[in-house]
Amino acid sequence: MTDDAKARQFAAVEVPEEVRDAIEAATEPLRRSAVQVRWVAPDAYHLTLAFVGWVDDAGARALEDACAAAASTVQPFSMGLTGAAGTFGGGVLWAGLADCPPLERLASALRAGLGERGMRVEQRPFHAHVTLARAARDARIPRRLVDAYAGPRATWPVERLVTMRSRLRRSGARYRVEGAWPLGPV
């Protein structure tokens, strides 16, 4: 199977440009002080709801069907950043999001729909976050970055669910929106 026939895909909520800019401004002083950290490009900030990984055309259709069904079960809502950061396993630096029950219902409906369509989904609990950086191989995110992060407390409306495709590159993953589904009953 060629690379064009199979791609890494996932369902996500987009981060609007003004919020991405605010996060970028908050991380700018940190970016200069951490050499063993690969920072995510601001245009790549997003919130993953369900990662399905490498899929073929049938898997992509199953992801789209699950997104359409899940999106129809949740009304548009607002979500926001807490201004805090944390790490996963010491290797991923993330910006935290405030508790958001509609977002959690959307993620739960999406994961259930993927399971009903025979798709394998991550089993770890959903933890809403925006990935900011990853540690270089065999390195860890320095604790001082987590402590020094003073991110925005921005909020934004969420009106659609998207599927995204990622391409891995030496400079970091590149993402492209593949499809979008408005929230709320159709």
Side-chain angles (χ1 to χ4, degrees):
M1 185 169 281
T2 68
D3 192 39
D4 290 336
K6 204 170 179 184
R8 290 171 26 117
Q9 293 197 19
F10 56 96
V13 168
E14 298 164 291
V15 177
E17 185 175 352
E18 62 273 14
V19 177
R20 294 192 313 251
D21 290 347
I23 295 171
E24 181 180 25
T27 59
E28 179 56 30
L30 307 176
R31 290 172 184 260
R32 289 180 257 132
S33 68
V35 294
Q36 296 223 331
V37 173
R38 295 173 307 178
W39 293 91
V40 173
D43 66 350
Y45 293 150
H46 64 272
L47 169 64
T48 300
L49 296 183
F51 184 82
V52 295
W54 293 97
V55 294
D56 57 14
D57 289 344
R61 282 192 300 277
L63 174 61
E64 292 170 357
D65 290 347
C67 284
S72 71
T73 66
V74 177
Q75 294 291 329
F77 58 89
S78 291
M79 61 183 302
L81 294 165
T82 63
T87 65
F88 291 128
V92 176
L93 176 67
W94 48 261
L97 293 157
D99 288 341
C100 184
L103 178 68
E104 293 174 17
R105 285 195 303 276
L106 182 59
S108 179
L110 179 59
R111 289 176 178 212
L114 287 168
E116 291 166 4
R117 288 163 178 80
M119 298 292 292
R120 187 176 164 164
V121 294
E122 293 176 308
Q123 296 302 307
R124 61 183 167 184
F126 177 66
H127 181 262
H129 70 279
V130 175
T131 299
L132 302 176
R134 293 180 174 80
R137 177 175 251 167
D138 300 325
R140 298 181 65 82
I141 297 292
R143 182 70 206 174
R144 64 181 165 74
L145 288 184
V146 177
D147 295 340
Y149 178 76
R153 293 179 183 264
T155 61
W156 69 92
V158 176
E159 298 176 341
R160 69 183 199 166
L161 173 65
V162 299
T163 54
M164 298 183 89
R165 171 185 287 230
S166 71
R167 294 269 184 213
L168 301 177
R169 303 196 186 282
R170 291 191 127 221
S171 60
R174 305 302 299 166
Y175 304 101
R176 183 177 77 201
V177 172
E178 293 288 302
W181 293 266
L183 299 183
V186 179

